[in-house]
Amino acid sequence: MPATPSPGRVGDVRRQNLALVLDGIQGNGGATRAQLAAESGLTKASVSSLVADLLESGLVLETSVTRDGERGRPGTGLVLNPARGALAAEINVDYLAVGVLDFAGKLVFHETLERHNRGSRPSDILPLLVAMAQRAAAKAADAGVELLGGELTVPGLVDTEHNVVVAAPNLGWADVGLSEELPRLLPEAPFGVTLSNEANSAALAELWFGHGADHGTRDRFRDFLYISGEVGVGGGLVMASQLFDGPQGHAGEIGHVVVHPDGPLCACGGHGCLETFAGQDAIYSAAGMDRDSTTRHTAHLLQLAHDGDELAGSAVEQAGRYLGIAVASTARVANISAVVLGGHFAVLEEWIAPALRRSLDHHAPGLIPEGNLAFSGLGQTGALRGAAATSVRRILSQAYELIP
Protein backbone atom coordinates (compact mmCIF):
# COMPACT_ATOMS: atom_id res chain seq x y z
CA MET A 1 0.00 0.00 0.00
CA PRO A 2 1.55 3.37 -0.96
CA ALA A 3 2.70 5.64 1.85
CA THR A 4 0.55 8.64 2.67
CA PRO A 5 2.34 11.91 1.86
CA SER A 6 3.42 13.91 4.90
CA PRO A 7 1.19 16.89 5.74
CA GLY A 8 2.45 20.15 4.30
CA ARG A 9 4.64 18.43 1.69
CA VAL A 10 4.29 18.93 -2.05
CA GLY A 11 4.90 16.38 -4.78
CA ASP A 12 8.37 15.58 -6.07
CA VAL A 13 7.85 17.43 -9.35
CA ARG A 14 6.61 20.53 -7.59
CA ARG A 15 9.60 20.38 -5.21
CA GLN A 16 11.96 20.31 -8.15
CA ASN A 17 10.16 23.16 -9.86
CA LEU A 18 10.23 25.29 -6.71
CA ALA A 19 14.00 24.78 -6.52
CA LEU A 20 14.28 25.62 -10.22
CA VAL A 21 12.40 28.89 -9.81
CA LEU A 22 14.41 29.86 -6.72
CA ASP A 23 17.64 29.06 -8.52
CA GLY A 24 16.60 31.36 -11.35
CA ILE A 25 15.81 34.19 -8.94
CA GLN A 26 19.01 33.75 -6.96
CA GLY A 27 21.31 33.21 -9.92
CA ASN A 28 20.15 36.37 -11.68
CA GLY A 29 19.87 38.54 -8.59
CA GLY A 30 16.15 38.80 -9.35
CA ALA A 31 13.84 37.99 -12.25
CA THR A 32 10.30 38.45 -13.55
CA ARG A 33 7.80 35.63 -13.90
CA ALA A 34 8.17 35.77 -17.68
CA GLN A 35 11.96 35.51 -17.45
CA LEU A 36 11.67 32.54 -15.08
CA ALA A 37 9.29 30.78 -17.46
CA ALA A 38 11.59 31.38 -20.42
CA GLU A 39 14.73 30.19 -18.60
CA SER A 40 13.19 27.20 -16.85
CA GLY A 41 10.99 25.90 -19.65
CA LEU A 42 7.97 25.90 -17.33
CA THR A 43 4.66 27.40 -18.40
CA LYS A 44 3.83 30.90 -17.21
CA ALA A 45 0.86 29.49 -15.31
CA SER A 46 3.11 27.02 -13.48
CA VAL A 47 5.61 29.74 -12.62
CA SER A 48 2.86 32.02 -11.34
CA SER A 49 1.52 29.23 -9.12
CA LEU A 50 4.98 28.45 -7.75
CA VAL A 51 5.73 32.12 -7.15
CA ALA A 52 2.47 32.51 -5.26
CA ASP A 53 3.61 29.76 -2.89
CA LEU A 54 7.04 31.32 -2.49
CA LEU A 55 5.55 34.72 -1.76
CA GLU A 56 3.29 33.20 0.89
CA SER A 57 6.23 31.35 2.47
CA GLY A 58 8.16 34.61 2.83
CA LEU A 59 11.17 33.40 0.84
CA VAL A 60 10.55 35.78 -2.07
CA LEU A 61 9.47 39.41 -2.43
CA GLU A 62 8.02 41.39 -5.31
CA THR A 63 9.96 44.45 -6.37
CA SER A 64 9.18 47.47 -8.51
CA VAL A 65 7.95 47.07 -12.07
CA THR A 66 10.69 46.22 -14.59
CA ARG A 67 10.91 45.55 -18.32
CA ASP A 68 11.13 41.84 -19.17
CA GLY A 69 12.03 42.36 -22.82
CA GLU A 70 8.78 40.98 -24.24
CA ARG A 71 7.43 43.75 -26.50
CA GLY A 72 8.32 46.25 -23.82
CA ARG A 73 5.61 45.06 -21.47
CA PRO A 74 6.37 45.66 -17.80
CA GLY A 75 6.79 42.81 -15.34
CA THR A 76 6.99 42.76 -11.57
CA GLY A 77 10.43 41.71 -10.39
CA LEU A 78 11.04 38.93 -7.86
CA VAL A 79 13.98 38.78 -5.42
CA LEU A 80 14.96 36.63 -2.46
CA ASN A 81 13.65 38.13 0.75
CA PRO A 82 16.46 39.91 2.66
CA ALA A 83 14.37 39.52 5.83
CA ARG A 84 15.42 35.84 5.83
CA GLY A 85 18.96 34.73 6.53
CA ALA A 86 21.40 32.15 7.84
CA LEU A 87 23.93 32.00 10.66
CA ALA A 88 27.58 31.06 10.21
CA ALA A 89 29.93 30.13 13.04
CA GLU A 90 33.66 29.44 12.81
CA ILE A 91 36.11 27.75 15.14
CA ASN A 92 39.72 28.42 14.25
CA VAL A 93 42.96 27.94 16.15
CA ASP A 94 43.30 31.62 17.06
CA TYR A 95 39.73 32.86 17.12
CA LEU A 96 36.01 32.20 17.19
CA ALA A 97 33.67 34.04 14.84
CA VAL A 98 30.00 34.31 13.98
CA GLY A 99 28.17 36.07 11.16
CA VAL A 100 24.70 36.55 9.70
CA LEU A 101 24.11 36.56 5.96
CA ASP A 102 20.73 37.62 4.59
CA PHE A 103 19.20 36.02 1.51
CA ALA A 104 20.36 38.99 -0.59
CA GLY A 105 23.97 38.00 0.20
CA LYS A 106 24.68 40.86 2.61
CA LEU A 107 26.71 40.17 5.75
CA VAL A 108 24.54 42.03 8.25
CA PHE A 109 26.48 41.09 11.39
CA HIS A 110 29.98 39.81 12.16
CA GLU A 111 31.80 39.24 15.46
CA THR A 112 35.28 37.81 16.09
CA LEU A 113 36.73 36.76 19.44
CA GLU A 114 40.49 36.21 19.52
CA ARG A 115 41.22 33.14 21.61
CA HIS A 116 43.91 30.45 21.73
CA ASN A 117 41.91 27.31 20.99
CA ARG A 118 44.80 24.92 20.45
CA GLY A 119 44.33 21.99 22.83
CA SER A 120 40.96 23.27 24.07
CA ARG A 121 38.19 20.74 24.55
CA PRO A 122 34.95 21.21 22.64
CA SER A 123 33.24 21.71 26.00
CA ASP A 124 35.51 24.74 26.59
CA ILE A 125 34.81 26.34 23.23
CA LEU A 126 31.20 25.60 22.39
CA PRO A 127 29.55 27.53 25.27
CA LEU A 128 31.45 30.63 24.12
CA LEU A 129 30.35 30.06 20.55
CA VAL A 130 26.74 29.49 21.62
CA ALA A 131 26.79 32.82 23.46
CA MET A 132 28.17 34.52 20.35
CA ALA A 133 25.51 32.84 18.20
CA GLN A 134 22.81 34.10 20.57
CA ARG A 135 24.12 37.64 20.20
CA ALA A 136 24.16 37.23 16.43
CA ALA A 137 20.57 35.97 16.43
CA ALA A 138 19.53 38.94 18.57
CA LYS A 139 21.27 41.38 16.21
CA ALA A 140 19.59 39.67 13.25
CA ALA A 141 16.20 40.02 14.91
CA ASP A 142 16.91 43.72 15.57
CA ALA A 143 17.67 44.10 11.86
CA GLY A 144 14.44 42.29 10.95
CA VAL A 145 16.19 39.14 9.67
CA GLU A 146 14.74 35.72 10.57
CA LEU A 147 17.41 33.00 10.72
CA LEU A 148 16.24 29.76 9.10
CA GLY A 149 19.43 27.69 9.39
CA GLY A 150 23.17 27.80 9.83
CA GLU A 151 26.56 26.18 9.44
CA LEU A 152 29.58 25.68 11.67
CA THR A 153 32.92 25.59 9.88
CA VAL A 154 36.15 24.22 11.39
CA PRO A 155 39.81 23.87 10.26
CA GLY A 156 39.91 20.12 9.82
CA LEU A 157 38.56 17.04 8.10
CA VAL A 158 34.84 16.62 8.73
CA ASP A 159 32.21 13.93 8.25
CA THR A 160 29.24 16.08 7.29
CA GLU A 161 26.80 13.18 7.26
CA HIS A 162 27.42 12.31 10.90
CA ASN A 163 28.49 15.79 12.17
CA VAL A 164 31.92 14.57 13.24
CA VAL A 165 35.22 16.47 13.20
CA VAL A 166 37.37 13.57 12.01
CA ALA A 167 40.71 15.32 12.51
CA ALA A 168 41.64 18.91 13.31
CA PRO A 169 45.33 18.53 14.27
CA ASN A 170 45.93 22.19 15.08
CA LEU A 171 43.02 22.15 17.54
CA GLY A 172 44.06 18.76 18.88
CA TRP A 173 40.67 17.24 17.99
CA ALA A 174 40.06 13.77 16.61
CA ASP A 175 36.70 12.03 16.08
CA VAL A 176 34.75 14.75 17.89
CA GLY A 177 30.99 14.30 17.45
CA LEU A 178 28.92 17.50 17.38
CA SER A 179 25.40 16.22 16.72
CA GLU A 180 24.19 17.36 20.14
CA GLU A 181 26.08 20.66 20.11
CA LEU A 182 25.14 21.99 16.67
CA PRO A 183 21.42 22.56 17.42
CA ARG A 184 22.37 24.71 20.41
CA LEU A 185 23.83 27.32 18.10
CA LEU A 186 20.42 28.06 16.59
CA PRO A 187 17.77 26.07 18.48
CA GLU A 188 14.73 27.60 16.78
CA ALA A 189 15.93 27.31 13.18
CA PRO A 190 13.67 25.05 11.08
CA PHE A 191 16.59 23.85 8.94
CA GLY A 192 19.11 23.31 11.71
CA VAL A 193 22.89 23.73 11.67
CA THR A 194 25.33 21.69 9.61
CA LEU A 195 29.11 21.18 9.70
CA SER A 196 31.78 22.07 7.10
CA ASN A 197 35.49 22.45 6.49
CA GLU A 198 36.80 26.01 6.80
CA ALA A 199 38.88 26.02 3.61
CA ASN A 200 36.00 24.58 1.57
CA SER A 201 33.69 27.28 2.94
CA ALA A 202 36.22 29.99 2.06
CA ALA A 203 36.62 28.52 -1.45
CA LEU A 204 32.86 28.74 -1.99
CA ALA A 205 32.86 32.32 -0.73
CA GLU A 206 35.51 33.13 -3.33
CA LEU A 207 33.35 31.51 -6.01
CA TRP A 208 30.13 33.30 -4.99
CA PHE A 209 31.41 36.65 -3.70
CA GLY A 210 35.01 36.98 -4.87
CA HIS A 211 36.97 36.32 -8.07
CA GLY A 212 34.44 33.69 -9.20
CA ALA A 213 31.64 36.26 -9.11
CA ASP A 214 33.48 39.32 -10.45
CA HIS A 215 32.54 40.09 -14.07
CA GLY A 216 36.15 40.82 -14.92
CA THR A 217 37.59 37.56 -13.57
CA ARG A 218 34.86 34.96 -13.26
CA ASP A 219 35.56 33.31 -16.64
CA ARG A 220 39.10 32.55 -15.43
CA PHE A 221 37.96 31.34 -12.02
CA ARG A 222 35.42 28.65 -12.82
CA ASP A 223 38.09 26.10 -11.88
CA PHE A 224 40.56 27.08 -9.19
CA LEU A 225 42.47 26.02 -6.11
CA TYR A 226 41.77 28.09 -3.00
CA ILE A 227 44.50 28.13 -0.33
CA SER A 228 43.64 29.27 3.19
CA GLY A 229 46.49 30.56 5.33
CA GLU A 230 45.87 30.44 9.06
CA VAL A 231 47.84 28.63 11.77
CA GLY A 232 47.35 25.69 9.45
CA VAL A 233 47.16 25.74 5.67
CA GLY A 234 43.92 24.50 4.13
CA GLY A 235 42.69 24.15 0.59
CA GLY A 236 39.52 23.84 -1.44
CA LEU A 237 39.10 22.78 -5.06
CA VAL A 238 36.45 24.35 -7.30
CA MET A 239 35.74 22.57 -10.58
CA ALA A 240 33.21 23.84 -13.13
CA SER A 241 31.96 26.35 -10.52
CA GLN A 242 31.24 23.54 -8.05
CA LEU A 243 33.13 22.51 -4.93
CA PHE A 244 35.01 19.27 -5.53
CA ASP A 245 35.52 17.66 -2.14
CA GLY A 246 36.28 14.09 -3.17
CA PRO A 247 34.56 10.81 -2.25
CA GLN A 248 35.07 11.31 1.51
CA GLY A 249 34.93 15.10 1.47
CA HIS A 250 38.65 15.56 2.09
CA ALA A 251 39.97 16.71 -1.30
CA GLY A 252 42.09 19.85 -1.55
CA GLU A 253 44.22 19.36 1.61
CA ILE A 254 47.20 21.19 0.14
CA GLY A 255 48.56 22.06 3.57
CA HIS A 256 49.68 18.45 3.94
CA VAL A 257 51.27 18.08 0.53
CA VAL A 258 54.91 17.12 1.20
CA VAL A 259 57.23 19.85 -0.07
CA HIS A 260 60.42 18.72 1.72
CA PRO A 261 61.00 14.99 2.31
CA ASP A 262 63.30 15.65 5.27
CA GLY A 263 61.27 18.53 6.63
CA PRO A 264 60.04 19.05 10.22
CA LEU A 265 57.29 17.11 11.96
CA CYS A 266 53.79 18.39 11.17
CA ALA A 267 50.76 18.40 13.48
CA CYS A 268 49.23 15.75 11.19
CA GLY A 269 52.01 13.31 12.13
CA GLY A 270 53.82 13.52 8.78
CA HIS A 271 57.05 15.30 7.92
CA GLY A 272 57.78 18.11 5.48
CA CYS A 273 54.20 19.28 4.88
CA LEU A 274 53.61 22.70 3.32
CA GLU A 275 52.05 23.81 6.62
CA THR A 276 55.42 23.47 8.40
CA PHE A 277 56.88 26.13 6.10
CA ALA A 278 53.92 28.37 5.22
CA GLY A 279 51.56 28.22 8.23
CA GLN A 280 51.44 31.21 10.59
CA ASP A 281 53.49 29.51 13.29
CA ALA A 282 56.16 28.53 10.78
CA ILE A 283 56.46 32.04 9.34
CA TYR A 284 56.51 33.73 12.74
CA SER A 285 59.12 31.29 14.02
CA ALA A 286 61.33 31.74 10.97
CA ALA A 287 61.02 35.52 11.42
CA GLY A 288 62.27 35.20 15.01
CA MET A 289 58.97 36.24 16.56
CA ASP A 290 57.46 34.85 19.78
CA ARG A 291 53.81 33.90 19.51
CA ASP A 292 51.16 36.04 21.21
CA SER A 293 48.01 36.92 19.29
CA THR A 294 47.30 36.73 15.58
CA THR A 295 46.42 40.40 15.15
CA ARG A 296 49.50 41.71 16.95
CA HIS A 297 51.82 39.25 15.27
CA THR A 298 50.50 39.93 11.79
CA ALA A 299 50.85 43.68 12.28
CA HIS A 300 54.37 43.19 13.65
CA LEU A 301 55.38 40.93 10.75
CA LEU A 302 54.02 43.42 8.24
CA GLN A 303 55.99 46.20 9.87
CA LEU A 304 59.18 44.13 9.85
CA ALA A 305 58.69 43.26 6.18
CA HIS A 306 58.01 46.92 5.35
CA ASP A 307 61.20 47.93 7.19
CA GLY A 308 63.26 45.41 5.25
CA ASP A 309 64.01 43.12 8.22
CA GLU A 310 66.20 40.29 6.94
CA LEU A 311 64.66 37.48 9.02
CA ALA A 312 61.10 38.53 8.19
CA GLY A 313 61.92 38.80 4.51
CA SER A 314 63.57 35.39 4.51
CA ALA A 315 60.62 33.80 6.33
CA VAL A 316 58.08 35.13 3.82
CA GLU A 317 60.37 34.26 0.90
CA GLN A 318 60.62 30.68 2.16
CA ALA A 319 56.85 30.41 2.58
CA GLY A 320 56.30 31.66 -0.97
CA ARG A 321 58.87 29.25 -2.40
CA TYR A 322 57.31 26.21 -0.76
CA LEU A 323 53.83 27.41 -1.68
CA GLY A 324 54.95 27.42 -5.30
CA ILE A 325 56.17 23.82 -5.03
CA ALA A 326 52.85 22.66 -3.53
CA VAL A 327 50.74 24.63 -6.00
CA ALA A 328 52.72 23.32 -8.98
CA SER A 329 52.22 19.72 -7.89
CA THR A 330 48.55 20.12 -6.99
CA ALA A 331 47.69 22.07 -10.13
CA ARG A 332 49.20 19.38 -12.35
CA VAL A 333 47.28 16.61 -10.59
CA ALA A 334 43.98 18.51 -10.48
CA ASN A 335 44.40 20.04 -13.97
CA ILE A 336 43.58 23.58 -12.85
CA SER A 337 45.23 26.81 -13.97
CA ALA A 338 44.00 29.35 -11.41
CA VAL A 339 44.78 29.88 -7.73
CA VAL A 340 43.32 32.17 -5.06
CA LEU A 341 45.10 32.70 -1.74
CA GLY A 342 43.37 33.92 1.42
CA GLY A 343 44.04 34.34 5.12
CA HIS A 344 47.52 35.56 6.03
CA PHE A 345 48.69 34.93 2.46
CA ALA A 346 46.37 37.72 1.29
CA VAL A 347 47.62 40.00 4.07
CA LEU A 348 51.23 39.31 3.00
CA GLU A 349 50.47 39.60 -0.73
CA GLU A 350 52.98 42.38 -1.42
CA TRP A 351 55.87 40.32 -0.07
CA ILE A 352 54.82 36.72 -0.71
CA ALA A 353 53.54 37.10 -4.29
CA PRO A 354 56.98 37.65 -5.93
CA ALA A 355 58.49 34.58 -4.22
CA LEU A 356 55.45 32.47 -5.10
CA ARG A 357 55.54 33.65 -8.73
CA ARG A 358 59.25 32.83 -9.06
CA SER A 359 58.69 29.39 -7.55
CA LEU A 360 55.78 28.65 -9.89
CA ASP A 361 57.74 29.78 -12.93
CA HIS A 362 60.64 27.57 -11.88
CA HIS A 363 58.67 24.41 -11.06
CA ALA A 364 55.74 24.72 -13.47
CA PRO A 365 56.40 27.38 -16.13
CA GLY A 366 53.23 28.56 -17.82
CA LEU A 367 50.91 26.41 -15.70
CA ILE A 368 49.38 29.32 -13.76
CA PRO A 369 49.20 32.42 -16.02
CA GLU A 370 49.96 35.79 -14.46
CA GLY A 371 46.31 36.89 -14.24
CA ASN A 372 45.24 33.56 -12.73
CA LEU A 373 47.24 33.93 -9.53
CA ALA A 374 45.01 35.99 -7.25
CA PHE A 375 44.62 36.99 -3.62
CA SER A 376 41.26 37.10 -1.86
CA GLY A 377 39.70 40.41 -0.95
CA LEU A 378 37.17 38.92 1.49
CA GLY A 379 39.42 39.19 4.53
CA GLN A 380 38.68 37.18 7.64
CA THR A 381 34.99 36.87 6.74
CA GLY A 382 35.55 34.51 3.80
CA ALA A 383 34.83 31.23 5.57
CA LEU A 384 31.83 32.75 7.37
CA ARG A 385 30.33 34.05 4.12
CA GLY A 386 30.83 30.70 2.42
CA ALA A 387 29.34 28.75 5.33
CA ALA A 388 26.29 31.01 5.60
CA ALA A 389 25.74 31.06 1.83
CA THR A 390 25.93 27.26 1.76
CA SER A 391 23.24 27.19 4.43
CA VAL A 392 21.10 29.60 2.36
CA ARG A 393 21.39 27.31 -0.66
CA ARG A 394 20.48 24.30 1.46
CA ILE A 395 17.39 26.11 2.73
CA LEU A 396 16.34 27.13 -0.77
CA SER A 397 16.75 23.56 -2.02
CA GLN A 398 14.25 22.50 0.65
CA ALA A 399 11.86 25.39 0.16
CA TYR A 400 8.90 23.00 -0.01
CA GLU A 401 9.21 22.58 3.79
CA LEU A 402 7.96 26.17 4.18
CA ILE A 403 5.08 25.96 1.73
CA PRO A 404 1.76 26.01 3.63
Side-chain angles (χ1 to χ4, degrees), residues 31 60 159 169 224 247 374:
V60 168
D159 177 347
F224 65 90

PDB file of all heavy atoms in Angstrom, residues 31 60 159 169 224 247 374:
ATOM      1  N   ALA A  31      14.391  38.325 -10.931  1.00  0.00           N
ATOM      2  CA  ALA A  31      13.844  37.995 -12.249  1.00  0.00           C
ATOM      3  C   ALA A  31      12.344  38.246 -12.241  1.00  0.00           C
ATOM      4  O   ALA A  31      11.714  38.353 -11.181  1.00  0.00           O
ATOM      5  CB  ALA A  31      14.121  36.528 -12.596  1.00  0.00           C
ATOM      6  N   VAL A  60      10.404  34.909  -0.907  1.00  0.00           N
ATOM      7  CA  VAL A  60      10.546  35.783  -2.074  1.00  0.00           C
ATOM      8  C   VAL A  60       9.716  37.041  -1.878  1.00  0.00           C
ATOM      9  O   VAL A  60       8.662  37.007  -1.230  1.00  0.00           O
ATOM     10  CB  VAL A  60      10.100  35.019  -3.347  1.00  0.00           C
ATOM     11  CG1 VAL A  60       9.934  35.951  -4.535  1.00  0.00           C
ATOM     12  CG2 VAL A  60      11.110  33.921  -3.685  1.00  0.00           C
ATOM     13  N   ASP A 159      33.211  14.858   8.778  1.00  0.00           N
ATOM     14  CA  ASP A 159      32.212  13.928   8.252  1.00  0.00           C
ATOM     15  C   ASP A 159      30.880  14.654   8.356  1.00  0.00           C
ATOM     16  O   ASP A 159      30.277  14.715   9.439  1.00  0.00           O
ATOM     17  CB  ASP A 159      32.218  12.644   9.080  1.00  0.00           C
ATOM     18  CG  ASP A 159      31.152  11.636   8.644  1.00  0.00           C
ATOM     19  OD1 ASP A 159      30.254  12.014   7.879  1.00  0.00           O
ATOM     20  OD2 ASP A 159      31.198  10.483   9.114  1.00  0.00           O
ATOM     21  N   PRO A 169      44.075  18.656  13.525  1.00  0.00           N
ATOM     22  CA  PRO A 169      45.330  18.534  14.270  1.00  0.00           C
ATOM     23  C   PRO A 169      45.739  19.790  15.025  1.00  0.00           C
ATOM     24  O   PRO A 169      46.264  19.705  16.141  1.00  0.00           O
ATOM     25  CB  PRO A 169      46.358  18.182  13.183  1.00  0.00           C
ATOM     26  CG  PRO A 169      45.558  17.575  12.088  1.00  0.00           C
ATOM     27  CD  PRO A 169      44.233  18.274  12.115  1.00  0.00           C
ATOM     28  N   PHE A 224      39.416  26.504  -9.897  1.00  0.00           N
ATOM     29  CA  PHE A 224      40.561  27.082  -9.194  1.00  0.00           C
ATOM     30  C   PHE A 224      40.844  26.338  -7.891  1.00  0.00           C
ATOM     31  O   PHE A 224      39.998  25.612  -7.356  1.00  0.00           O
ATOM     32  CB  PHE A 224      40.350  28.575  -8.920  1.00  0.00           C
ATOM     33  CG  PHE A 224      39.223  28.911  -7.974  1.00  0.00           C
ATOM     34  CD1 PHE A 224      39.430  29.012  -6.604  1.00  0.00           C
ATOM     35  CD2 PHE A 224      37.944  29.163  -8.463  1.00  0.00           C
ATOM     36  CE1 PHE A 224      38.390  29.339  -5.742  1.00  0.00           C
ATOM     37  CE2 PHE A 224      36.896  29.487  -7.607  1.00  0.00           C
ATOM     38  CZ  PHE A 224      37.124  29.572  -6.232  1.00  0.00           C
ATOM     39  N   PRO A 247      35.522  11.818  -2.709  1.00  0.00           N
ATOM     40  CA  PRO A 247      34.564  10.806  -2.248  1.00  0.00           C
ATOM     41  C   PRO A 247      34.304  10.816  -0.746  1.00  0.00           C
ATOM     42  O   PRO A 247      33.232  10.444  -0.298  1.00  0.00           O
ATOM     43  CB  PRO A 247      35.198   9.477  -2.696  1.00  0.00           C
ATOM     44  CG  PRO A 247      36.629   9.794  -2.953  1.00  0.00           C
ATOM     45  CD  PRO A 247      36.684  11.217  -3.390  1.00  0.00           C
ATOM     46  N   ALA A 374      45.738  34.887  -7.874  1.00  0.00           N
ATOM     47  CA  ALA A 374      45.006  35.988  -7.249  1.00  0.00           C
ATOM     48  C   ALA A 374      44.999  35.850  -5.736  1.00  0.00           C
ATOM     49  O   ALA A 374      45.225  34.765  -5.186  1.00  0.00           O
ATOM     50  CB  ALA A 374      43.569  36.019  -7.769  1.00  0.00           C
TER      51      ALA A 374
END
